[in-house]
Amino acid sequence: MPHLTATDELEIIGSSGGAKPPAGSGRDGDGGRRGGSSGIPQRVYVTGITIAMGGILMFFMALVSAFIVRKGLGGDWLPFGMPRILWLNTGILLASSGALIQARRLFKRGDSGGFRHWWAVTTVLGLLFLVGQLIAWRQMVAAGFYLASNASNSFFYVLTAAHGLHLLGGIAALLFVGWGRLRKLTLATGTEIVSYYWHFLDGLWVFLFLLLLLGR
Amino acid sequence: MSAHAGSIHHSEAPKGWIRHYIFSLDHKIIGTQYILLGLSAVTIGVILSLIVRLHLVWPNLHIWGFANGIVSPEDYLRVITMHGTLMVFFVLTTVPQSGFGNYFLPIQIGAPDMAFPTINMLSFWTTFLALIVLLASAFVPGGATISGWTSYAPLSAVGEIAGPGLGLGQTLWVVSIALFCGGSLMSAINFLGTTIDLRTKGLSLMRMPLTVWGWFITACLALLAFGVLLAACILLLLDRLAQTSFFIPADLSVSGVVLHHAGGSPLLWQHLFWFFGHPEVYIAILPAMGIISHVLSTFSRKPVFGYKAMVYSLTAIGFLSFTVWGHHMFISGMNPYSALAFSILTLVIGVPSAIKTFNWLGTLWGGRIHFTAAMLFAIGFVSLFVTGGLSGIFLAQPALDLYLHDTSYVIGHFHLIMGVAAIFAMFAASYYWFPKMFGHMMNETLGKIHFWFTFIGVYCIFMPMHYLGYVGEARRYASTESVNYMIALHPVNMFISFSAFVTMSAQLLFYFNFFWSIKHGKPAERNPWHGTTLEWSVSTPVPHDNFAGDYPTVYRGPYEYSVPGAADDFIPQHLAPEQVAKAG
Ligand code: HEM
Ligand SMILES: [Cu+2]
């Protein structure tokens, strides 16, 4: 019955494809779910955070295009003075990404003391950034730029608040992975996905900062 | 570092009623919860449309629940706003994707559950909360909002001063939709992660059932579209509550008062809304397309005609759906060149849509067709999709749309192609999967009667609306009698209303059949339709981890029906080649 054999072959395609890799060859060491086991492969968490970042990016892009359209159509746009501290905040956030890279490097080497140290540095820098953003808000208010004063100010608050909330989630994730009890995630996966998310928010901030700086 | 925490075992079902049925992590329970949520929403939605049709033909009829029993023009707007919002968000977006998708996607790909069960539970409860907030808005001072399911600014942005329902009612509407966005985004992440990483051995992308493809592409659209609506809702909420001016123009005078807002753009809302809104209509229909392909193939006892073309056209439709939102805004005063571009892009979507239609017909062609209730609804879907799609082509011409926009013609178009077509897919899915979900068969005879009443009924309701639109009946008018030329249309409206009453009553057959069959239907075998995909390989009721720890390997594509040389007219995906019985 030759026509039946046409589809008989098992297609094994790469880790992004359908067929699961044979035992032991998965990205995460335990080979993912296979045969009779019903575990969830670790790579799905990486996939999940990647997808989530896509959704978050669309959310911010909607705000950014609203910014551009509103500025172009409104005719009432007034520039405002950017709080100086934002430069410092940006530096702090970039530094936190650096600390995170260091933490992961030590983690991969198996140096769990060093890992924890740099992980904590990242977390503290992240908190400092948020405090800095709040100070920036205080400075805006002190200068008379309120949420509803002008569309440019409205966008400043909306963009920084939205980013800050996402970053707050990042800090929660840092704390949880560093000091919480992971159930389904391995520590390796936990550090991997948190670091993707963190670097993403870092890059996003640089973009938003430039947008506000050049477009306000 | 240890990497073994990764193999969590799912085979233990949770004990306790609340963990099992309320805050369940099991995708099958969550899917069922979504279906019941949709069923509640559709019931309310249909009752509201009953009020619409009653009011249009008997404006002075006393209706329970309204002040003095009379439906005022504002009440009428509240009713259609609630009807549209419930139906589009809580029925069409929810049931085919989060309902049936949740239930069957993991089983069809040979997985124990969704990738992120906790997030799955959270998506459902967020959606549930969104529904409660929406319904609550009808009971606050001022009542539900009157701004339509599209909530155009500035009416939706300025607050109480603009009319009844635009105070707290409108705020709750926005909050509800924002919550809904959150639920849908979480759900999209789950669907994508699950499909990408949890497929069982041998289930390559091009062996996935078309249902899975439909859910997958829909999740992509939801991921990219709902974030945009969420952003728009946040800006709208700020305009309403914090005196910002994103959507409210300068010196706007409302109810005789000049508002203190500056330079906002109502068009910005339209752009953001429709950038979400057009993908949204495909979010409603792509899962339906998957389900229909699946059912047509099963009951034609033939492979889907052009499986790959089906996959590519689905993807193309998904991609293009992000490029055509301007066709909802032809009369917004946009540059005619933009209108031309949007028009052409819209017509381009017709090409993959036509490919799908021809492939459905090709699947039917020469098949040994079993006219089950599910099959009848699937064929009905194809008919509705063609009829509704053709009117879309007319609307896509800016010159014609200047006239047809905001007339009954548009109502006819989108009810046939989105409302009714997606509902037909839900009916097909119910009749088709009921045996697997509840272990009993639905009654086929009742199902067929239900089909014929519904099929003829919806055409009687929505075809005349095209005619009404041609002769100028405006959309969203509370009365067809207040404008002279509309009075002559009364008999047509009468006909529509009576068709609607009959069609709605016929739905009682479905409710009865559904709930009665859960207990009293004929007991179902494991694979009553002789289907090939994995959901038919598992026992009924489906075990907690779907496969009782014994995960299948997939050896072939999903639609191997009537393969020459095989003894049976179907070869299940999980059957090893040496197990396939040969003819003779
Ligand atoms: C070839 C296919 C299609 C074309 C060319 C098309 C074209 C259009 C156009 C131009 C409009 C705007 C009419 C107006 O407001 O003046 C429209 C409205 C609409 N279409 Fe389609 N359409 C197509 C398919 C679909 C599908 C597949 C769905 C849903 C599943 C759909 C759902 C809707 C809805 C809901 C509206 C009205 C929205 C509103 O104003 O409330 N259409 N269509
Ligand atoms: Cu559209």
Side-chain angles (χ1 to χ4, degrees):
Chain A
M1 284 213 324
H3 40 267
L4 274 184
T5 55
T7 48
D8 285 346
E9 256 177 283
L10 246 176
E11 289 171 49
I12 306 259
I13 42 184
S15 57
S16 64
K20 272 191 259 44
S25 72
R27 245 195 259 159
D28 48 311
D30 77 343
R33 188 165 62 72
R34 58 182 182 265
S37 121
S38 58
I40 299 285
Q42 290 288 304
R43 65 169 179 274
V44 77
Y45 299 104
V46 179
T47 312
I49 197 71
T50 313
I51 295 163
M53 291 188 301
I56 294 170
L57 193 64
M58 272 314 274
F59 169 77
F60 276 96
M61 286 310 113
L63 291 176
V64 168
S65 32
F67 178 103
I68 294 166
V69 170
R70 178 66 180 77
K71 185 179 180 193
L73 287 182
D76 65 328
W77 193 272
L78 294 175
F80 58 92
M82 282 277 266
R84 286 272 173 74
I85 193 170
L86 289 178
W87 289 94
L88 180 63
N89 295 351
T90 309
I92 291 177
L93 196 58
L94 288 172
S96 79
S97 269
L100 188 56
I101 291 173
Q102 180 66 6
R104 279 202 73 208
R105 184 178 301 150
L106 295 177
F107 175 80
K108 280 187 197 142
R109 275 203 218 131
D111 174 357
S112 75
F115 156 69
R116 254 166 235 289
H117 173 75
W118 285 104
W119 197 258
V121 172
T122 313
T123 315
V124 170
L125 287 175
L127 281 168
L128 272 181
F129 171 82
L130 281 186
V131 173
Q133 296 292 83
L134 285 177
I135 295 174
W137 279 18
R138 293 280 300 269
Q139 293 183 349
M140 285 284 284
V141 170
F145 298 121
Y146 299 106
L147 172 63
S149 306
N150 186 266
S152 62
N153 307 340
S154 311
F155 275 109
F156 173 83
Y157 286 104
V158 169
L159 289 171
T160 48
H163 177 266
L165 282 177
H166 282 87
L167 201 93
L168 202 59
I171 289 176
L174 279 167
L175 291 173
F176 186 71
V177 169
W179 295 277
R181 263 194 54 214
L182 301 176
R183 288 192 310 124
K184 298 186 178 175
L185 284 171
T186 62
L187 193 54
T189 316
T191 52
E192 186 179 357
I193 64 177
V194 170
S195 79
Y196 291 159
Y197 183 62
W198 194 264
H199 296 317
F200 165 73
L201 288 180
D202 190 346
L204 183 64
W205 169 251
V206 172
F207 171 76
L208 295 176
F209 180 60
L210 290 176
L211 177 83
L212 289 168
L213 192 67
L214 306 173
R216 76 199 129 105
Chain B
M1 298 288 153
S2 143
H4 282 277
S7 48
I8 298 292
H9 287 269
H10 278 256
S11 34
E12 275 296 296
K15 311 269 179 324
W17 195 83
I18 300 230
R19 287 287 307 283
H20 194 178
Y21 289 109
I22 308 294
F23 296 107
S24 172
L25 299 176
D26 182 332
H27 69 100
K28 298 185 288 297
I29 304 282
I30 296 174
T32 313
Q33 289 173 326
Y34 268 116
I35 291 172
L36 291 179
L37 179 139
L39 206 58
S40 320
V42 81
T43 309
I44 305 171
V46 166
I47 292 172
L48 293 173
S49 60
L50 177 67
I51 296 174
V52 169
R53 288 318 312 179
L54 284 171
H55 179 73
L56 283 179
V57 290
W58 296 299
N60 297 318
L61 188 75
H62 278 238
I63 295 179
W64 180 81
F66 292 88
N68 309 322
I70 295 294
V71 179
S72 67
E74 290 80 9
D75 289 336
Y76 181 84
L77 292 175
R78 287 187 229 282
V79 169
I80 58 164
T81 301
M82 275 295 203
H83 166 78
T85 311
L86 281 169
M87 293 300 203
V88 171
F89 290 99
F90 294 92
V91 180
L92 301 183
T93 309
T94 302
V95 178
Q97 177 80 2
S98 311
F100 288 108
N102 241 316
Y103 204 113
F104 286 103
L105 180 129
I107 311 183
Q108 287 192 330
I109 65 171
D113 202 322
M114 282 289 193
F116 316 113
T118 314
I119 293 185
N120 204 13
M121 177 185 79
L122 278 177
S123 335
F124 172 76
W125 286 106
T126 313
T127 311
F128 181 79
L129 188 63
L131 178 62
I132 297 298
V133 171
L134 181 73
L135 295 178
S137 79
F139 300 98
V140 299
T145 180
I146 60 172
S147 56
W149 83 277
T150 55
S151 250
Y152 272 14
L155 183 66
S156 60
V158 291
E160 223 150 0
I161 189 171
L166 291 167
L168 190 51
Q170 174 70 33
T171 302
L172 290 181
W173 186 94
V174 185
V175 170
S176 164
I177 296 307
L179 285 169
F180 189 90
C181 293
S184 301
L185 285 169
M186 289 190 273
S187 164
I189 295 171
N190 233 326
F191 273 72
L192 293 173
T194 307
T195 314
I196 292 171
D197 278 336
L198 295 195
R199 278 168 292 135
T200 193
K201 206 166 178 180
L203 190 59
S204 62
L205 288 174
M206 283 300 170
R207 284 176 177 179
M208 295 198 310
L210 287 171
T211 42
V212 176
W213 271 108
W215 292 318
F216 182 70
I217 303 287
T218 302
C220 294
L221 300 192
L223 181 79
L224 302 177
F226 274 108
V228 176
L229 183 62
L230 181 59
C233 282
I234 290 173
L235 299 184
L236 185 59
L237 218 47
L238 288 173
D239 268 8
R240 297 180 53 77
L241 302 178
Q243 273 66 55
T244 55
S245 310
F246 294 108
F247 305 121
I248 308 175
D251 303 327
L252 182 70
S253 157
V254 179
S255 311
V257 180
V258 180
L259 301 179
H260 295 288
H261 280 273
S265 163
L267 278 186
L268 179 57
W269 171 263
Q270 292 193 22
H271 278 294
L272 290 172
F273 184 86
W274 287 117
F275 186 85
F276 148 81
H278 189 83
E280 160 64 23
V281 306
Y282 281 97
I283 289 171
I285 207 73
L286 296 188
M289 290 177 167
I291 291 166
I292 294 311
S293 311
H294 200 76
V295 170
L296 284 181
S297 173
T298 308
F299 294 115
S300 305
R301 312 312 293 163
K302 271 183 65 189
V304 166
F305 183 86
Y307 172 90
K308 282 201 171 155
M310 286 301 225
V311 172
Y312 296 139
S313 55
L314 207 59
T315 317
I317 291 176
F319 174 75
L320 286 170
S321 72
F322 280 102
T323 65
V324 300
W325 78 92
H327 67 213
H328 296 274
M329 301 168 58
F330 285 144
I331 65 149
S332 69
M334 63 165 59
N335 183 322
Y337 290 109
S338 318
L340 182 66
F342 279 125
S343 171
I344 292 173
L345 283 163
T346 304
L347 295 179
V348 170
I349 293 204
V351 176
S353 306
I355 292 179
K356 299 204 80 76
T357 308
F358 283 118
N359 285 4
W360 286 322
L361 297 178
T363 306
L364 287 169
W365 188 264
R368 280 181 297 115
I369 297 179
H370 297 218
F371 287 104
T372 58
M375 182 63 158
L376 288 175
F377 275 103
I379 298 173
F381 172 97
V382 178
S383 156
L384 292 162
F385 189 73
V386 173
T387 328
L390 287 178
S391 57
I393 310 273
F394 287 79
L395 290 171
Q397 321 291 330
L400 287 175
D401 189 61
L402 290 185
Y403 178 80
L404 291 173
H405 181 70
D406 269 352
T407 66
S408 306
Y409 190 92
V410 177
I411 310 279
H413 160 67
F414 75 73
H415 274 87
L416 283 182
I417 198 160
M418 175 160 91
V420 186
I423 296 246
F424 266 46
M426 288 179 231
F427 283 141
S430 306
Y431 287 109
Y432 180 75
W433 277 319
F434 192 90
K436 189 50 70 185
M437 297 173 75
F438 300 105
H440 295 267
M441 310 292 285
M442 285 177 85
N443 185 298
E444 277 291 314
T445 316
L446 272 184
K448 285 173 197 168
I449 300 175
H450 171 223
F451 167 77
W452 285 109
F453 270 104
T454 311
F455 184 67
I456 298 172
V458 294
Y459 268 112
C460 288
I461 298 170
F462 295 111
M463 281 314 264
M465 288 194 188
H466 293 83
Y467 166 73
L468 289 178
Y470 268 136
V471 293
E473 185 184 279
R475 176 182 179 184
R476 291 184 174 137
Y477 277 26
S479 161
T480 53
E481 318 262 289
S482 51
V483 188
N484 260 341
Y485 70 89
M486 284 203 208
I487 295 175
L489 302 175
H490 192 74
V492 184
N493 272 310
M494 215 36 144
F495 175 77
I496 295 179
S497 284
F498 273 100
S499 309
F501 303 150
V502 173
T503 314
M504 287 172 192
S505 317
Q507 303 318 305
L508 295 175
L509 291 176
F510 179 77
Y511 283 85
F512 172 75
N513 199 350
F514 191 90
F515 288 109
W516 187 82
S517 304
I518 289 181
K519 271 230 153 84
H520 309 285
K522 206 174 76 188
E525 311 155 23
R526 178 184 287 232
N527 186 1
W529 314 121
H530 293 174
T532 49
T533 41
L534 293 179
E535 77 269 33
W536 304 113
S537 75
V538 299
S539 55
T540 316
V542 183
H544 175 64
D545 67 351
N546 297 340
F547 295 90
D550 184 12
Y551 291 91
T553 300
V554 164
Y555 295 94
R556 58 182 66 75
Y559 301 112
E560 304 267 319
Y561 289 106
S562 306
V563 178
D568 296 322
D569 72 346
F570 66 106
I571 307 179
Q573 284 191 283
H574 66 283
L575 220 55
E578 55 278 9
Q579 291 175 304
V580 176
K582 290 164 201 173

